[in-house]
Amino acid sequence: MVIKALLLDMDGVLYHGEKAIPEALEFMRRVGDLPHAFITNNPILPPARVADRLEGMGYRRPHERQIVTSAEATALWLARQKPDFRYFAVGAEGLHLTLQAHGREDLQQADFVVIGEGPGIDFESITIGTNLILKQGAQLVCTNPDHSVDAHHEGSHRVLPGGGALVAPFAVATGKQPLIIGKPHPLLYEMAAERLRISLDHCLMIGDRPDTDIAGAVRLGMKTALVRTGRFAPNIDYPAELPRPDWDINSLSELSRILFCS
């Protein structure tokens, strides 16, 4: 298979916190002219803010359409199910801005209760969402399945609850299982490939999580590279129950040598 484009996760692949991974900077300089897109389960920031962040770390600023977030994928899925949908959302700015562009917030008769990441969850939001689901028949949707995500605060590593954790109170209170949009589910990969105008079987997915980045891409027939600079460190055994990547590498420098034979 000829690799014509790259799909890249970001946190743990390109940066830690607000600091770029040096090998990743060099890798992106080398592959900069190859079609590529960034796909992330993180719904907190809108694409423009993500592009600003990458540029601030020293990367060439990508076009906003090269960035596909789980918030964007969620809004697209909702719009496909019901144009002009009504929603109640819990999460940060990126999720709310994206949903506002496609639907209408309605705390009384929402079609969907959408859970993302970041601040916003409290007793009142759980109560509103629970009643919308049980009394109005709203569908529970979550932007991504990650139980926890890595973050950095004042130079220290922190573990934050992910979408899979934040949706749990709504699922328990209602007895309804959420529909999950983000990786390993197909939509983020498909949106990125569509924007690049390249079929998925000619894309290489580069990520740091076997259960999301790699598993989802393998199921879609993509080539895959697991880079062990993020949550999944070099000393951790690969999960036996998950499909294995084509390349299991310690840094993007190794992948650069593989791809460019030098």
Side-chain angles (χ1 to χ4, degrees), residues 23-46:
E23 295 91 342
L25 280 170
E26 178 56 35
F27 179 81
M28 291 308 301
R29 280 192 285 268
R30 190 160 193 183
V31 304
D33 292 332
L34 189 67
H36 60 277
F38 306 96
I39 61 174
T40 177
N41 270 0
N42 189 327
I44 291 176
L45 296 178

Side-chain angles (χ1 to χ4, degrees), residues 68-131:
V68 185
T69 72
S70 63
E72 285 193 296
T74 299
L76 175 63
W77 187 88
L78 298 179
R80 286 177 176 175
Q81 305 310 303
K82 188 170 185 176
D84 301 319
F85 62 86
R86 295 169 297 178
Y87 68 89
F88 169 67
V90 178
E93 176 190 27
L95 177 62
H96 287 279
L97 289 175
T98 304
L99 291 176
Q100 288 167 14
H102 294 82
R104 176 166 53 91
E105 186 175 40
D106 189 332
L107 277 61
Q108 303 298 321
Q109 294 181 309
D111 304 300
F112 303 100
V113 172
V114 186
I115 312 303
E117 290 181 357
I121 189 170
D122 56 18
F123 184 81
E124 180 65 14
S125 64
I126 296 172
T127 301
I128 293 171
T130 296
N131 281 273

Side-chain angles (χ1 to χ4, degrees), residues 1 16 25 27 36 49 53 66 82 89 91 100 102 113 118 135 146 159 162-163 177 188 225 232 246:
M1 184 193 82
H16 295 138
L25 280 170
F27 179 81
H36 60 277
R49 292 270 304 280
R53 191 175 185 217
Q66 288 178 268
K82 188 170 185 176
Q100 288 167 14
H102 294 82
V113 172
K135 295 185 176 182
D146 305 73
V159 178
Q177 289 303 306
L188 265 75
F232 205 70
D246 295 282

Side-chain angles (χ1 to χ4, degrees), residues 176-258:
K176 304 291 185 180
Q177 289 303 306
L179 174 81
I180 307 292
I181 299 296
K183 297 174 291 183
H185 301 275
L187 192 52
L188 265 75
Y189 307 95
E190 292 170 348
M191 287 177 67
E194 182 179 349
R195 291 182 184 186
L196 294 175
R197 299 182 179 180
I198 295 175
S199 64
L200 283 170
D201 58 1
H202 286 105
C203 295
L204 167 64
M205 176 66 209
I206 304 171
D208 70 321
R209 296 184 70 135
D211 56 336
T212 55
D213 300 321
I214 304 304
V218 169
R219 292 170 192 152
L220 291 170
M222 300 171 62
K223 288 288 187 181
T224 56
L226 176 76
V227 58
R228 292 179 179 253
T229 50
R231 171 69 70 90
F232 205 70
N235 61 338
I236 300 177
D237 291 335
Y238 198 90
E241 72 277 10
L242 293 176
R244 299 193 68 87
D246 295 282
W247 297 286
D248 186 339
I249 53 179
N250 289 333
S251 74
L252 284 176
S253 295
E254 291 184 36
L255 184 60
S256 182
R257 290 192 291 270
I258 292 167

